[in-house]
Structures are given as C-alpha cells and as structure tokens.
Amino acid sequence: MSPFKALTWLVSPLALLALWAAVADAALFPANLLVPPLEVWRSFADLLATGELQEHLAGSLSRLSLGFAAGALAGLAFGTAMALSDTVEAYCAPLFHTLRQIPSIALIPMLVLLLGIDETFKVVIVAKTAFFPVALATVEGIRAIPRSHFEVAAVYRLRWPTLVARIALPAAVPAIVTGVRVALTRAWVVLVACELLAADSGLGQMIEMGRQMLRIDVVMVGVAITGVIGFALDFSLRRVERRLSGWQVAGR
Amino acid sequence: MNAIAPSFPAHVQTGALSIRNLSKTYPLKGRPVPVLQGIDLDIRPGEFVSILGASGCGKSTLLRLIVGLDPDYQGQILLDGQPLNGPGLERGIVFQDHRLFPWMTLQQNIALALKNHDLGTAQKQRLVDEHIALVGLRGYEQAYPHQLSGGMAQRGAIARALVNKPKVLLLDEPFGALDALTRVRLQQELQRIWVQERCTVIMVTHDIEEALYLGDRVIVMEANPGRIGEQVQLELAHPRQRDTALLFQHKQRLLAQLVGH
Ligand SMILES: Nc1ncnc2c1ncn2[C@@H]1O[C@H](COP(=O)(O)OP(=O)(O)O)[C@@H](O)[C@H]1O
Ligand SMILES: [Mg+2]
C-alpha cells in the first residue's frame, strides 16, 4: 500500500477534474463559458509556446518579490523596534493595530488616485500587505522569548552578539517565519487582484484580458496558475518553517 | 568502598561567601514589600549549605542576588572578600527547570557556558566531554533537551553549571520537579559529584531529607520577611548513608518545627 499512500493527495484534484469534465460534457453551461479541461490544457500549452504566459508570470513575480522584500524587511525592523522599545510601542501600537485591520483591497481606490495605476501602486500595495503580518509576528515572536533565556545568558555573561545570534533569533525565528509565510500568500492574492483591476502585464491582467475577449480558457489558465504559484510559495516556506522549528514541534 | 572524605577538606581555599546584613524589597502596588531582611551568613570554602524554607519565603530571591541577576539590594555579598558585581563565571546556578536551550544539543548547551572562557577550542571540547561524563550522560552529547528525560535534562543543567569550574554552585530546588525515585538517584549523584569537585554549594530545597542528606549545614529560612532561622550543623562525613540515626533525629525535630506549631 505504501507506494500508493504517497499519491493520496492526487485523488481530490483528479476528482475535481473529472467533475469539471463531466459537467462540461453534459453541456449544462454554454461551451464557451465552461471550457472543458482538455481545451484549457491546450490554451495553456499555446500560451506557453508563444511565451506570453512566461511574460505575465515574470511581471507578477518581479512585482511580488520587490514589494514583498520591502514590506517584509520593514515589518521585521518595525516589529523588532516595537518589541524592544516601550517608547516605540507607546507611540505606535494603537495606530499599528488599527491600520492592520484595514484590508489591502480597501486601499486600492485611494492608492490608484494617488499613485496612478503603474508599477509603484502595485509594489506599494504588496509591501503594505506583507508589512503587517511580518511586523505582528516579529513583535509577538520576540515578546514571547522567556525571560529565563536571558537570565541564563546573563549568568554565563554572553555578550550581545552571541545573545542575539544564539538565543534571541533561534527563539523568535519560528514565529517570524510563520508570519512571513502568511504575509507571502496574502501578498500574492492581493497582487493578482490589483492586476485584475489595473495593469498592462501580469497574471491578473491576463485573466482580465481573457474575460474581456470572452476567452474563458485563458481566464481558467490564469486562475489555475495563480493557485499553483500560491501553493508553491506557501509550500516552500512551510519547509523552511519546519526546518527552523523542528525542536519545537518535536518537543510538544 | 566507603571512601570517607573529610567534611571540610583543607585543600579548598577559595569560594568563601560572606553575606552581610542583606535586605531586599520588591515593589507591590507601588509600595516596597520586604522579601529578605538582615541576612547574615558566612559560608566556608567547599561547604555544602542547604537552605530549607516554605515556598515564597525568599529562597530563590536570595540565590538570584548571589548569582548577580538582580543588583537591586541593600547590604553586602562578598566572595573571598571581594564585593560582587553582576554575574560571573566563578558562580554557577541550576534552576528548578533545567533551562537548557531547546534548539541546541546537550553538547552545544554546555559549550555555550564556556563561550567567554579564555581557552582553546580543543580544551573547551575536552571540558565539555568531561562534564558530560561527570553527570553520567555520555552517549547523549548530540541529544536535544526534548529527547532527554526530566532527570537527564537536570543532569545536563548541572554539567553546564559546573563546566566553568565555579567556586560557588547555587542550586534552586534542582530536583523539585522530578519524581521521587529519580530525585533520590540524583541526590546520590550530586553527593558523588560534590565530593569530587568540592566547590562551595548552596542548595535551596523544601525537602527536609534532601537538605539533611546533602548539607554540612542546614539553614532554616523564615518567611515574611525572609530571614535566617535555626541552623543545624551536621558533623557527618560524605558520602553519607541515608538512614543514619543522626539524620533521622534531625529530621523529626525539623519536621515538628516546620510543620508543627
Ligand atoms: N519579580 C518579583 N516582583 C515582585 N515580587 C516578587 C518577585 N519575585 C518574587 N517576588 C515575591 O518575593 C517573595 C519570595 O519569592 P521567592 O524568592 O521566589 O520565594 P521562594 O523561592 O522561597 O519560594 C514571594 O512572596 C514572591 O511573591
Ligand atoms: Mg523558589
């Protein structure tokens, strides 16, 4: 049984595919609206062959990496400052906790008016989306380091570089990586949504163009790729997370 | 096999601890509450002192002051005549919870304690190995704390505290969280280790038998505010037998005194 067990995850996607094919075959919806899987696959191959898909993907992923790197780094810095300094906390905490409740999508109209619909707008909104979960996880990760860890460090007179590298970081990093993971998937979703509304390239734009030209096959390729990319990003960070917090999982 | 060690060996020269008129308050709702008051204590080099007292009487606070984790106190703490200033490698401490870092192996945990010692890598490695062997954990060098039992983790903590060869070892209810059998085993082990190392030890406990079995002197601490009560001198060489009549007598008396009234 065991070689098949590794493939159990395949059952549900195959079932979905079969359902999709069956419904398309039964012609419950017009064939140009619910495109059968095989045709979507052909469109995918076409888009790949012309290089169009790669172009859109490159556009989306470069925006994501730029905006995400900026937002996550800022979140890390701000979170660290807020965790360590009562002053920063006193001045910024209420505003921070209010702002982080505002969905990124709600900022789109305002940001479009201020920044236009060019790259800046999309990078800024991705950065904003990444900033808050990372900042929050950093604050909580650092705050959660038990005081006893620092006492042990004091007893052995560890200097601060050792304290940070060997104790504070390993203790806080698992929580921070979890925050980064959440931030990355959210940023990806928000980016594709922004591209749907306003862009001249990117996966979201490809979907929107497909819709306007009633090429539902292209729309479906875009939707599927969005899901797969999101899954891949989340999966790889999950691996990192597991490696960094192995001692925690095994300890419980 | 009854190698009798003298109670106070002449060769131990350093590790004399003098506490003079030590007081400590904690703020409670803005008002200072005395936790320790007028503690005077002289501990000879290489002496094993047990401190016995009810929970909350200030035992841990006293150890925290001696180890240097809290500079906010009145009075004086002198080690070999020198006033203490913050933590130092000549004092080691073992807490009730082992406090090994969960993301480091046993070996890495112990090596970290040597971080600020001015020794070569090979020498540090040898010290780490020696102390792992001393506490009977050979073979577990690469184990993470969650892979060790409570008793083994506490042995690891003892090895970490001893690896710097401290003059004074402070033990804060080191076996308090262990089951009765493991506790008895570790008390024996601690006695063996101490006979071998002969550093000054202050062990806080609320276990009368443990205090009597290990201590050259048992000090009873009284609460509210914490101060030194009765002191029992035990002229009995180490290693000791548990069922000695003398220890039994003291136990009955201390029990009546602590629980009686
Ligand atoms: N950081 C602190 N702030 C305020 N009160 C404290 C603090 N630490 C300990 N105390 C109080 O000091 C008293 C002695 O505590 P402790 O030394 O831990 O007692 P013991 O170790 O004998 O059980 C207790 O009443 C405790 O509530
Ligand atoms: Mg205590």
Side-chain angles (χ1 to χ4, degrees):
Chain A
M1 271 317 274
S2 63
F4 297 106
K5 226 172 184 170
L7 297 177
T8 36
W9 65 272
L10 258 176
V11 172
S12 54
L14 286 178
L16 183 64
L17 217 56
L19 182 69
W20 173 11
V23 174
D25 209 43
L28 291 176
F29 300 94
N32 60 344
L33 290 190
L34 188 75
V35 186
L38 212 58
E39 248 175 81
V40 172
W41 176 258
R42 255 181 243 128
S43 310
F44 169 71
D46 283 349
L47 286 167
L48 212 56
T50 58
E52 210 179 321
L53 184 62
Q54 290 91 319
E55 220 171 282
H56 287 302
L57 257 181
S60 291
L61 288 178
S62 69
R63 281 173 199 140
L64 180 73
S65 27
L66 193 64
F68 182 76
L73 284 178
L76 196 65
F78 179 75
T80 308
M82 198 151 96
L84 298 181
S85 156
D86 290 342
T87 317
V88 176
E89 156 94 21
Y91 278 90
C92 302
L95 180 64
F96 171 79
H97 289 295
T98 309
L99 289 182
R100 77 182 175 83
Q101 303 294 345
I102 301 173
S104 296
I105 307 281
L107 293 178
I108 291 179
M110 218 167 68
L111 283 177
V112 167
L113 289 177
L114 290 174
L115 302 171
I117 59 163
D118 290 339
E119 289 304 296
T120 325
F121 149 65
K122 272 152 269 167
V123 172
V124 164
I125 206 153
V126 167
K128 181 263 163 204
T129 308
F131 174 83
F132 285 95
V134 173
L136 189 65
T138 307
V139 172
E140 289 178 354
I142 292 178
R143 291 256 173 83
I145 302 176
R147 215 172 60 132
S148 60
H149 285 351
F150 294 114
E151 289 184 357
V152 172
V155 165
Y156 297 109
R157 310 204 57 151
L158 301 183
R159 285 182 252 280
W160 75 264
T162 314
L163 183 70
V164 170
R166 303 282 313 271
I167 293 164
L169 268 181
V173 152
I176 295 174
V177 174
T178 305
V180 168
R181 188 166 64 76
V182 170
L184 186 58
T185 33
R186 276 196 207 162
W188 173 243
V189 168
V190 167
L191 174 64
V192 174
C194 288
E195 289 174 345
L196 272 176
L197 293 175
D200 46 20
S201 73
L203 220 49
Q205 195 262 352
M206 189 184 92
I207 295 172
E208 175 58 16
M209 289 304 285
R211 185 191 68 84
Q212 285 179 15
M213 298 187 302
L214 224 65
R215 287 285 308 273
I216 305 305
D217 52 333
V218 176
V219 171
M220 288 173 122
V221 170
V223 168
I225 299 284
T226 305
V228 170
I229 298 276
F231 173 79
L233 292 173
D234 191 57
F235 184 77
S236 40
L237 271 180
R238 241 180 234 279
R239 303 284 299 251
V240 175
E241 195 179 4
R242 205 171 316 153
R243 276 192 61 163
L244 286 173
S245 55
W247 53 268
Q248 243 181 2
V249 178
R252 298 306 119 214
Chain B
M1 278 278 84
N2 236 347
I4 301 290
S7 230
F8 302 113
H11 66 270
V12 181
Q13 301 294 343
T14 58
L17 201 65
S18 298
I19 296 173
R20 303 254 176 278
N21 198 22
L22 180 73
S23 296
K24 161 83 187 163
T25 58
Y26 275 124
L28 188 68
K29 291 181 190 146
R31 291 204 318 184
V33 176
V35 178
L36 298 175
Q37 201 162 66
I39 304 241
D40 277 302
L41 205 54
D42 272 296
I43 299 174
R44 281 164 286 185
E47 188 178 2
F48 195 123
V49 172
S50 303
I51 297 182
L52 200 55
S55 153
C57 73
K59 306 182 297 292
S60 296
T61 303
L62 178 62
L63 291 196
R64 289 172 59 83
L65 298 186
I66 298 174
V67 84
L69 282 174
D70 188 347
D72 176 28
Y73 59 86
Q74 294 81 49
Q76 267 194 313
I77 306 176
L78 306 168
L79 179 60
D80 294 322
Q82 297 297 311
L84 293 176
N85 182 19
L89 298 183
E90 78 290 344
R91 277 159 292 149
I93 187 164
V94 174
F95 300 94
Q96 181 170 354
D97 47 335
H98 57 76
R99 297 204 184 179
L100 298 173
F101 295 115
W103 53 87
M104 292 183 203
T105 62
L106 178 67
Q107 201 170 42
Q108 289 168 337
N109 264 293
I110 297 175
L112 189 67
L114 280 176
K115 182 85 184 161
N116 285 325
H117 237 130
D118 207 10
L119 299 170
T121 319
Q123 210 174 350
K124 283 186 180 180
Q125 187 58 50
R126 209 201 42 177
L127 274 174
V128 170
D129 290 344
E130 258 175 36
H131 284 83
I132 288 177
L134 178 72
V135 298
L137 283 181
R138 200 172 260 162
Y140 292 93
E141 288 83 355
Q142 305 308 324
Y144 286 89
H146 71 257
Q147 296 169 317
L148 303 174
S149 69
M152 287 159 79
Q154 206 57 317
R155 286 167 191 261
I158 293 174
R160 177 171 69 177
L162 286 174
V163 77
N164 283 302
K165 304 248 173 226
K167 295 175 185 171
V168 179
L169 176 64
L170 306 168
L171 304 165
D172 191 355
E173 303 192 26
F175 310 137
L178 305 177
D179 66 88
L181 288 178
T182 310
R183 198 182 314 158
V184 167
R185 282 266 305 274
L186 279 183
Q187 287 163 0
Q188 258 163 36
E189 290 278 287
L190 178 61
Q191 176 161 254
R192 174 184 62 77
I193 290 166
W194 175 68
V195 166
Q196 194 174 330
E197 304 277 309
R198 282 294 175 178
C199 51
T200 307
V201 176
I202 305 178
M203 181 183 69
V204 157
T205 178
H206 50 230
D207 179 339
I208 299 179
E209 253 174 86
E210 179 173 283
L212 287 166
Y213 173 58
L214 289 166
D216 291 316
R217 182 164 32 140
V218 175
I219 296 174
V220 177
M221 236 174 110
E222 281 163 14
N224 295 320
R227 64 218 123 92
I228 304 286
E230 194 190 343
Q231 303 202 21
V232 179
Q233 200 75 44
L234 292 159
E235 308 290 349
L236 200 61
H238 290 271
R240 291 174 177 168
Q241 303 297 316
R242 272 176 193 282
D243 46 10
T244 314
L246 181 68
L247 294 185
F248 187 73
Q249 281 167 20
H250 281 301
K251 181 186 163 189
Q252 295 303 314
R253 206 172 46 76
L254 284 174
L255 202 58
Q257 191 184 11
L258 284 167
V259 188
H261 291 310

PDB file of all heavy atoms in Angstrom, chain A residues 7 68 89 101 122 143 149 180 191 204:
ATOM      1  N   LEU A   7       0.598   9.004  -2.956  1.00  0.00           N
ATOM      2  CA  LEU A   7      -0.157   9.652  -4.044  1.00  0.00           C
ATOM      3  C   LEU A   7      -1.584  10.006  -3.640  1.00  0.00           C
ATOM      4  O   LEU A   7      -2.366  10.469  -4.468  1.00  0.00           O
ATOM      5  CB  LEU A   7      -0.167   8.741  -5.268  1.00  0.00           C
ATOM      6  CG  LEU A   7       1.214   8.461  -5.874  1.00  0.00           C
ATOM      7  CD1 LEU A   7       1.101   7.481  -7.031  1.00  0.00           C
ATOM      8  CD2 LEU A   7       1.868   9.748  -6.347  1.00  0.00           C
ATOM      9  N   PHE A  68       7.312  42.512  -1.759  1.00  0.00           N
ATOM     10  CA  PHE A  68       7.358  41.654  -0.575  1.00  0.00           C
ATOM     11  C   PHE A  68       8.645  41.870   0.213  1.00  0.00           C
ATOM     12  O   PHE A  68       8.624  41.964   1.433  1.00  0.00           O
ATOM     13  CB  PHE A  68       7.227  40.184  -0.976  1.00  0.00           C
ATOM     14  CG  PHE A  68       7.218  39.273   0.196  1.00  0.00           C
ATOM     15  CD1 PHE A  68       6.085  39.166   0.979  1.00  0.00           C
ATOM     16  CD2 PHE A  68       8.343  38.554   0.549  1.00  0.00           C
ATOM     17  CE1 PHE A  68       6.073  38.346   2.083  1.00  0.00           C
ATOM     18  CE2 PHE A  68       8.342  37.735   1.651  1.00  0.00           C
ATOM     19  CZ  PHE A  68       7.197  37.633   2.422  1.00  0.00           C
ATOM     20  N   GLU A  89       6.529  51.396  21.186  1.00  0.00           N
ATOM     21  CA  GLU A  89       5.254  50.765  21.486  1.00  0.00           C
ATOM     22  C   GLU A  89       4.202  51.810  21.871  1.00  0.00           C
ATOM     23  O   GLU A  89       3.103  51.827  21.354  1.00  0.00           O
ATOM     24  CB  GLU A  89       5.471  49.750  22.625  1.00  0.00           C
ATOM     25  CG  GLU A  89       4.246  49.424  23.452  1.00  0.00           C
ATOM     26  CD  GLU A  89       3.521  48.191  22.938  1.00  0.00           C
ATOM     27  OE1 GLU A  89       4.169  47.397  22.240  1.00  0.00           O
ATOM     28  OE2 GLU A  89       2.321  48.045  23.220  1.00  0.00           O
ATOM     29  N   GLN A 101      -5.923  46.299  10.526  1.00  0.00           N
ATOM     30  CA  GLN A 101      -7.271  45.755  10.316  1.00  0.00           C
ATOM     31  C   GLN A 101      -7.836  46.149   8.953  1.00  0.00           C
ATOM     32  O   GLN A 101      -8.862  45.611   8.532  1.00  0.00           O
ATOM     33  CB  GLN A 101      -8.232  46.254  11.401  1.00  0.00           C
ATOM     34  CG  GLN A 101      -7.808  45.942  12.825  1.00  0.00           C
ATOM     35  CD  GLN A 101      -7.824  44.464  13.124  1.00  0.00           C
ATOM     36  OE1 GLN A 101      -8.404  43.682  12.386  1.00  0.00           O
ATOM     37  NE2 GLN A 101      -7.178  44.075  14.206  1.00  0.00           N
ATOM     38  N   LYS A 122       1.279  48.977  -7.453  1.00  0.00           N
ATOM     39  CA  LYS A 122       1.199  47.547  -7.128  1.00  0.00           C
ATOM     40  C   LYS A 122       2.273  47.133  -6.127  1.00  0.00           C
ATOM     41  O   LYS A 122       2.021  46.364  -5.186  1.00  0.00           O
ATOM     42  CB  LYS A 122       1.325  46.719  -8.408  1.00  0.00           C
ATOM     43  CG  LYS A 122      -0.027  46.499  -9.067  1.00  0.00           C
ATOM     44  CD  LYS A 122       0.073  46.310 -10.547  1.00  0.00           C
ATOM     45  CE  LYS A 122      -0.052  47.638 -11.267  1.00  0.00           C
ATOM     46  NZ  LYS A 122       0.326  47.585 -12.665  1.00  0.00           N
ATOM     47  N   ARG A 143       8.553  39.089  21.856  1.00  0.00           N
ATOM     48  CA  ARG A 143       7.963  39.218  23.203  1.00  0.00           C
ATOM     49  C   ARG A 143       7.839  37.857  23.881  1.00  0.00           C
ATOM     50  O   ARG A 143       7.888  37.764  25.098  1.00  0.00           O
ATOM     51  CB  ARG A 143       6.562  39.817  23.093  1.00  0.00           C
ATOM     52  CG  ARG A 143       6.557  41.239  22.680  1.00  0.00           C
ATOM     53  CD  ARG A 143       6.272  42.135  23.883  1.00  0.00           C
ATOM     54  NE  ARG A 143       6.440  43.512  23.499  1.00  0.00           N
ATOM     55  CZ  ARG A 143       5.491  44.224  22.893  1.00  0.00           C
ATOM     56  NH1 ARG A 143       4.322  43.700  22.652  1.00  0.00           N
ATOM     57  NH2 ARG A 143       5.732  45.464  22.559  1.00  0.00           N
ATOM     58  N   HIS A 149      15.476  32.663  29.425  1.00  0.00           N
ATOM     59  CA  HIS A 149      16.559  32.530  28.444  1.00  0.00           C
ATOM     60  C   HIS A 149      17.608  33.623  28.655  1.00  0.00           C
ATOM     61  O   HIS A 149      18.806  33.376  28.597  1.00  0.00           O
ATOM     62  CB  HIS A 149      16.005  32.658  27.023  1.00  0.00           C
ATOM     63  CG  HIS A 149      15.249  31.441  26.552  1.00  0.00           C
ATOM     64  ND1 HIS A 149      15.222  30.258  27.246  1.00  0.00           N
ATOM     65  CD2 HIS A 149      14.515  31.237  25.439  1.00  0.00           C
ATOM     66  CE1 HIS A 149      14.482  29.384  26.583  1.00  0.00           C
ATOM     67  NE2 HIS A 149      14.043  29.954  25.480  1.00  0.00           N
ATOM     68  N   VAL A 180       5.926  35.431   8.041  1.00  0.00           N
ATOM     69  CA  VAL A 180       6.388  35.663   6.673  1.00  0.00           C
ATOM     70  C   VAL A 180       5.575  34.815   5.694  1.00  0.00           C
ATOM     71  O   VAL A 180       5.190  35.273   4.617  1.00  0.00           O
ATOM     72  CB  VAL A 180       7.893  35.344   6.557  1.00  0.00           C
ATOM     73  CG1 VAL A 180       8.331  35.281   5.105  1.00  0.00           C
ATOM     74  CG2 VAL A 180       8.719  36.381   7.310  1.00  0.00           C
ATOM     75  N   LEU A 191      -1.862  40.945  -4.966  1.00  0.00           N
ATOM     76  CA  LEU A 191      -1.215  41.389  -6.209  1.00  0.00           C
ATOM     77  C   LEU A 191      -2.051  40.986  -7.423  1.00  0.00           C
ATOM     78  O   LEU A 191      -2.320  41.817  -8.306  1.00  0.00           O
ATOM     79  CB  LEU A 191       0.196  40.803  -6.314  1.00  0.00           C
ATOM     80  CG  LEU A 191       0.883  41.095  -7.646  1.00  0.00           C
ATOM     81  CD1 LEU A 191       1.113  42.593  -7.821  1.00  0.00           C
ATOM     82  CD2 LEU A 191       2.206  40.342  -7.762  1.00  0.00           C
ATOM     83  N   GLY A 204      -2.859  38.632 -13.391  1.00  0.00           N
ATOM     84  CA  GLY A 204      -4.185  39.216 -13.211  1.00  0.00           C
ATOM     85  C   GLY A 204      -4.648  39.891 -14.486  1.00  0.00           C
ATOM     86  O   GLY A 204      -5.816  39.760 -14.885  1.00  0.00           O
TER      87      GLY A 204
END
